[in-house]
Structure formats: C-alpha cells, structure tokens
Amino acid sequence: MRKSVLILPVALALCCGVCDARVNSTRKGLKTSSEVADTVTMVVDSMKVDDMTRFAKGAVVMRGYAKQTGSSKETFMLTNNTNLHISLVEIIFRYTDVKGVLLHERTETVVCDLPPYSSRQAWVKTWDEGHKFYYYKGKSRKDAIAYDVKVRVKRYDVRVDNKE
C-alpha cells in the first residue's frame, strides 16, 4: 500500500510534464519528451484544402423544374459543372405568385449521386400539401393558383472515396 502512494506522485509528475529530467536507467539512448518532439515531422496532404473548401457559384445548377396541381412531388434536373463527385445539394426554394408576392420559402436537402459533368433527375416533396397550386409553366386546373419558383443552391457536398 505504501509503495503505490509513493509511486503515484512520481508517475503523475512524469505524465503531466512537470519534470522532464533524465531518469537513470539501464537502457541506452533514451530521449526526453522535448527531444522526441523536435524530431516529429508533419505529414503533408497532397490535396490543397483551400481549393476544396471554396463554394463555387454555378458549380451545381438546378433546371427543368416541374410540378402539376395534383402532384405530391416537385421534379427537376441537377447538373454538376465540376470535376468533383457531388453527394448532397442543399437548395433554397422561393415560391411567389405571378405578381411576385411571396407565398412560401423553404430549404430542402437532396441526397444524390452526381458524377463530374453530369445531370440527374431529382425530386422533393411538394410544399403544396393542399394541391391548390400549379407551376405557371405547367398544366392547370380551373380552381388552381399559378405560382413561380426561384431557386438558389446553398450548399453542395463532395464525395471523397478512399481508394485503398
């Protein structure tokens, strides 16, 4: 019991770096922690982080929007204009009536598999749960209200695979 009481303060002092003096040992060539830290080299990544972290306007474009009055989905095309593989796109939808008065605004996240320089069809659940609105460029019913939509890509995620 007494040995553990004496050893504990010495072990704590060594772990916390309180004393960095050499300890007498039968082993040859031991170094202090500060000597070891001087010999550690940084591993340099081959990818430039600055280039990867910039949001490029126009890198991902949404086009070909469609929604009919009774539809529960809004469909569109996503186009990847980069040499990167896109796995997720966050889009802000802003819905207005034909006079430009705001009806609704929302942000939707679309999980996708969008290889470099390609287009894929995507969809989101409609904002019009009552099925009373239709996209002004589409087909309508007599009692439906026309709307326009403007979109803005807020974020996109790049897929990075480990090739090992």
Side-chain angles (χ1 to χ4, degrees), residues 31-137:
K31 295 180 180 182
T32 64
S33 59
S34 61
E35 291 173 326
V36 171
D38 291 341
T39 61
V40 174
T41 57
M42 293 292 290
V43 176
V44 179
D45 195 353
S46 61
M47 185 182 298
K48 289 184 179 180
V49 176
D50 287 344
D51 295 338
M52 295 297 296
T53 57
R54 287 193 192 114
F55 179 86
K57 190 173 182 179
V60 179
V61 178
M62 187 183 118
R63 57 187 171 77
Y65 176 89
K67 189 241 177 230
Q68 293 181 358
T69 310
S71 179
S72 60
K73 294 194 272 190
E74 299 170 31
T75 58
F76 47 88
M77 298 295 289
L78 288 174
T79 301
N80 180 359
N81 294 319
T82 73
N83 62 349
L84 306 169
H85 200 125
I86 306 294
S87 61
L88 180 141
V89 180
E90 194 171 74
I91 304 167
I92 298 172
F93 292 85
R94 184 176 172 86
Y95 305 92
T96 60
D97 66 11
V98 289
K99 294 179 182 177
V101 177
L102 181 66
L103 297 170
H104 186 66
E105 185 173 283
R106 69 180 177 154
T107 302
E108 287 290 327
T109 301
V110 179
V111 177
C112 57
D113 181 23
L114 203 52
Y117 306 108
S118 68
S119 292
R120 297 282 191 270
Q121 184 177 19
W123 65 272
V124 293
K125 186 179 175 190
T126 187
W127 66 282
D128 174 29
E129 293 179 7
H131 304 293
K132 296 290 182 188
F133 293 88
Y134 73 96
Y135 183 52
Y136 81 100
K137 291 184 179 179

